[in-house]
Amino acid sequence: SARRVLRLGGDELPLVDAMSAVLGHAYAAILEQSGGPPAQVVLTHPVTWGGARKALLRKAAERAGIRSVLHLVSEPEAAVRHVLAHVPGELPVPVALLDIGASTSDLVVLTWSADGRLVPLFQDGTQAGGDDFDAGVLDHVASRLSERGLRSFAKLREEQPYEAWTVARQTKHELSKLPESSFSVEYEDLPDVPIRRERFEEATEDVVEECTAALENAIDTLRGSNPVRSVVLSGGSSSVPAVCGEAERLARNPGARFFLVGELEKGAESA
């Protein structure tokens, strides 16, 4: 926001302080595990972040006591560099990596330059991600409840929002593996609400389109000059079957190979 604050209940915390607290906790764990400060630290950010937000991230790192050489890299670029470093020769370039995070979907297309450097050809992102799929679960639950159950559900979301969103997230992950799941919380007289995968997909069809919009745009933009040859899907909600299906469908358009980042990492470990 313009004021750069994080609202926690009725309180407001400067965003830089909240970011600093998270970074400080992670950095302390690194120091404890490694026995000393690392020479370099890489922090990732959404691909659409501009200079002001990156400057805020640097300021938070300084407040957290990070004195190592600091590099800021977009989330999808960090992911594709990791994949290329650990799976050499597997991915034809240009490679497009779509990273679906909690609140954003970020994409970068990289290729090798003549002097052996990875250079970006395209980058874009949308304000859609895993939280929107979780919201789809909650909206579907609300549509299935009686008036009495709806009152209990509204009360749950107001008094225990973390519990409601956590169960929605768990339900989403179960629906990624199973044809049916249920939203189940022991709260007043709130009943279990069964959800079939096809109903979940109907409720989140627009979210799938928004999450994959940057990939479609990249493929169309680069079609004539540098057609995408590999598409890699990563992030917490990359396992949602509808997302995988749409990304794979888009990859087939230019004849690109399609990969899930988890499958690439497993293949590298067993090699």
Side-chain angles (χ1 to χ4, degrees):
S1 68
R3 296 179 59 198
R4 295 197 176 101
V5 295
L6 182 67
R7 291 177 176 82
L8 299 172
D11 300 323
E12 290 187 349
L13 179 68
L15 185 56
V16 67
D17 291 344
M19 294 166 68
S20 176
V22 173
L23 292 174
H25 178 75
Y27 192 61
I30 292 172
L31 294 178
E32 182 179 354
Q33 186 175 35
S34 62
Q40 302 182 71
V41 170
V42 177
L43 299 179
T44 64
H45 57 81
V47 75
T48 55
W49 273 24
R53 288 179 172 178
K54 293 177 188 178
L56 192 68
L57 184 56
R58 284 190 179 276
K59 186 176 181 180
E62 292 173 2
R63 288 196 183 185
I66 298 176
R67 299 292 179 258
S68 309
V69 176
L70 193 62
H71 302 279
L72 302 187
V73 181
S74 74
E75 291 161 359
E77 182 171 345
V80 77
R81 285 180 179 275
H82 170 79
V83 169
L84 289 171
H86 291 80
V87 193
E90 278 289 327
L91 298 179
V93 295
V95 52
L97 189 137
L98 177 62
D99 180 71
I100 302 178
S103 56
T104 63
S105 293
D106 298 300
L107 177 128
V108 68
V109 180
L110 295 176
T111 193
W112 295 108
S113 66
D115 57 356
R117 294 178 298 111
L118 275 174
V119 294
L121 297 175
F122 185 97
Q123 52 187 4
D124 194 11
T126 58
Q127 299 296 311
D131 291 348
D132 297 288
F133 288 104
D134 303 340
V137 172
L138 295 174
D139 290 344
H140 180 76
V141 170
S143 72
R144 296 289 304 278
L145 291 170
S146 65
E147 185 175 340
R148 181 178 179 182
L150 195 56
R151 286 196 297 269
S152 294
F153 186 57
K155 190 176 177 182
L156 168 71
R157 296 191 64 175
E158 180 179 356
E159 296 182 352
Q160 300 182 30
Y162 180 79
E163 177 71 10
W165 283 93
T166 297
V167 175
R169 190 172 302 112
Q170 292 170 345
T171 305
K172 172 189 69 179
H173 288 312
E174 288 174 0
L175 287 169
S176 297
K177 303 173 184 176
L178 303 170
E180 184 172 348
S181 182
S182 65
F183 183 92
S184 178
V185 182
E186 292 185 8
Y187 184 81
E188 293 189 350
D189 57 354
L190 185 64
D192 291 355
V193 179
I195 306 176
R196 293 196 61 81
R197 181 187 290 172
E198 56 262 32
R199 297 291 176 262
F200 169 68
E201 291 179 346
E202 289 172 2
T204 57
E205 184 177 0
D206 291 345
V207 180
V208 172
E209 291 182 4
E210 192 168 355
C211 286
T212 57
L215 175 60
E216 183 172 17
N217 190 16
I219 289 172
D220 288 343
T221 301
L222 298 173
R223 187 181 307 279
S225 56
N226 289 287
V228 172
R229 298 182 61 203
S230 300
V231 172
V232 181
L233 190 61
S234 70
S237 291
S238 61
S239 61
V240 173
V243 174
C244 293
E246 179 62 8
E248 187 169 11
R249 183 190 72 79
L250 291 171
R252 284 199 302 267
N253 196 345
R257 297 176 65 186
F258 176 76
F259 305 90
L260 290 173
V261 71
E263 294 176 353
L264 288 172
E265 291 173 339
K266 288 179 182 178
E269 290 172 0
S270 61

